[in-house]
Every structure is written in structure tokens, then in C-alpha cells.
Amino acid sequence: LRLAALRAGKRLLVPGRGRQTFLLLDPSKIDAKEYEAAATADGAEKFGEPLDVAAKVQVDLFVIGSAAVNPSSGCRAGSLSGVEDLHYEILRQTGAIDERTPVATVASGHQVVEDFEPELCHVPVDIVCTPQRLVRVLQPRSKPSGVAWDRVSERKLRTVPGPRQLRAASEEQAAVEAARRRGRGPREEAAQPPEEATQRRARRSAPREARRARAPADA
């Protein structure tokens, strides 16, 4: 599939390995003789441009693997690791894809099961491709709008760079917002010694404590 896409002149965003979240394969920057090599996992590392979760990209079609898929509802079971689904959630949360971005899966005939409805449906699909036919799901299920952090294990945080980078970026943004609400710049907030922060909170609370102490006498 990667090879066909490269030969068709399509840019590919593929999962990276190690510290790289994604790799961008641009056929215009790869010699046509190297397409077959670039379509492999090792070749993607060699020819791909590393991108992290902060990169501004727009994905037109998301392709995901399936162990089993229902062609009527688009419900599917993915890999046991769930990494492919996590990649979808990362791209969704960063805005690279949205609810309208079609999701396709490539499956063999025996993986397409009409009555397959598991209790937990992984990222559902809009298109099912088999060697014999192409099925467009008429009423696909809704898709995740972002990372489901309660299902991201500590092991995934250690081994998959995407969620780790995304969580760090989210925490940094939350700190910036908190500092802005307190009327301080993020750099100023980060540079503030712990002792100064404690004294500052104490000074803010002192007038309130004084008013509470006077309240019975005034009554």
C-alpha cells in the first residue's frame, strides 16, 4: 500500500520508531528507484522526515490495520498493542484529522465479519478494502476525538513517543494558562522561587483571615 501511494505521488505520514512519533515520506524528494525501499519500516527511517506532535500537517486519509471488521458498522478489532488506534487519537487531538477524515482498513476476506460487534470497538472505519471488493460503510460509528488517557498505560508512555510528547505539551499549556490567570508570564512564573510563591500566597490570604477574625466583634 505504501509503495502504491508513493508511485501515485502521494505523501505518506507513517509511524516512527524510537524517539520519532511520525515520519513524512514525500515522493518528490525520493528517487523513484528507492520507492520500494522507502515503503519498508527501515526505509521510512532512512528517507522519512521526522515530525513530532507539534508539526502542522493535514491528513486526508487514515489507513489502519484490522484483525476483524464489520462492513456494516465499521466496528473493528485492531492489534493487541493498540498503537495504531493511539496514533489516530494523537492526530485527532492535534488537529491533523477530524471527524470527517475517512478511515480505511485493508483486510482479507476472512477478516470481514458481518455480525462482529465486540464490547470494545477500536477506532471504527469508513472504508473496508479486500482483494475482492471495496465497501463503504453507510452508518459508521463515531470516532475518538482525542487521546483516551485512562487507557494509555505507563508502558506506552515510556515506549511510544507521541503520547509522552502530547502530555508534556498539554501540561506546559496548562501551566501557561494558569500563570496567565494569575497575571504572571509563564517565564516569570517558572523562575519564581518556591519561597516567594509561598509568601505571595500568604500575603493574598492575610486580608481575608483578618476580616474573618473581626467579624464576630463587628456583629
Side-chain angles (χ1 to χ4, degrees):
L1 182 60
R2 290 185 182 184
L3 179 57
L6 290 172
R7 285 175 172 169
K10 306 295 183 182
R11 297 197 305 166
L12 292 175
L13 189 69
V14 300
R17 295 187 297 190
R19 296 183 178 181
Q20 304 302 333
T21 307
F22 298 106
L23 298 166
L24 180 65
L25 292 171
D26 188 340
S28 67
K29 299 179 181 179
I30 304 173
D31 191 305
K33 297 178 182 178
E34 302 286 359
Y35 282 175
E36 288 193 28
T40 66
D42 290 337
E45 293 285 332
K46 178 180 178 180
F47 295 101
E49 175 189 349
L51 298 178
D52 61 20
V53 295
K56 299 299 182 183
V57 295
Q58 191 66 42
V59 175
D60 299 320
L61 174 68
F62 187 91
V63 181
I64 196 167
S66 296
V69 60
N70 185 325
S72 299
S73 66
C75 188
R76 55 173 279 281
S79 63
L80 291 176
S81 68
V83 172
E84 292 172 314
D85 298 84
L86 186 55
H87 286 148
Y88 175 90
E89 294 173 357
I90 291 170
L91 291 173
R92 183 71 187 272
Q93 186 154 332
T94 57
I97 57 180
D98 58 27
E99 179 69 24
R100 298 166 297 177
T101 306
V103 178
T105 190
V106 178
S108 59
H110 71 274
Q111 293 174 307
V112 180
V113 184
E114 292 287 348
D115 57 353
F116 179 70
E117 289 294 340
E119 183 176 342
L120 176 62
C121 178
H122 294 168
V123 174
V125 301
D126 305 286
I127 303 169
V128 180
C129 303
T130 76
Q132 294 78 29
R133 57 179 177 153
L134 185 147
V135 180
R136 294 188 180 273
V137 179
L138 298 180
Q139 295 181 326
R141 292 193 178 190
S142 60
K143 302 176 183 67
S145 58
V147 176
W149 291 110
D150 58 328
R151 296 204 298 269
V152 179
S153 65
E154 289 299 322
R155 182 176 180 277
K156 281 184 181 176
L157 283 174
R158 290 194 306 270
T159 58
V160 183
R164 187 168 63 248
Q165 294 172 358
L166 193 58
R167 173 168 283 185
S170 298
E171 290 175 350
E172 182 179 350
Q173 182 62 31
V176 170
E177 293 297 330
R180 187 177 293 118
R181 287 194 296 270
R182 290 193 293 268
R184 301 175 68 91
R187 294 183 180 177
E188 182 184 3
E189 188 73 18
Q192 184 182 20
E195 297 81 1
E196 182 184 336
T198 302
Q199 294 171 2
R200 193 163 179 256
R201 286 194 295 270
R203 288 197 297 271
R204 285 201 300 264
S205 63
R208 292 196 297 270
E209 297 298 330
R211 288 196 297 271
R212 290 174 186 167
R214 290 198 302 269
D218 294 340

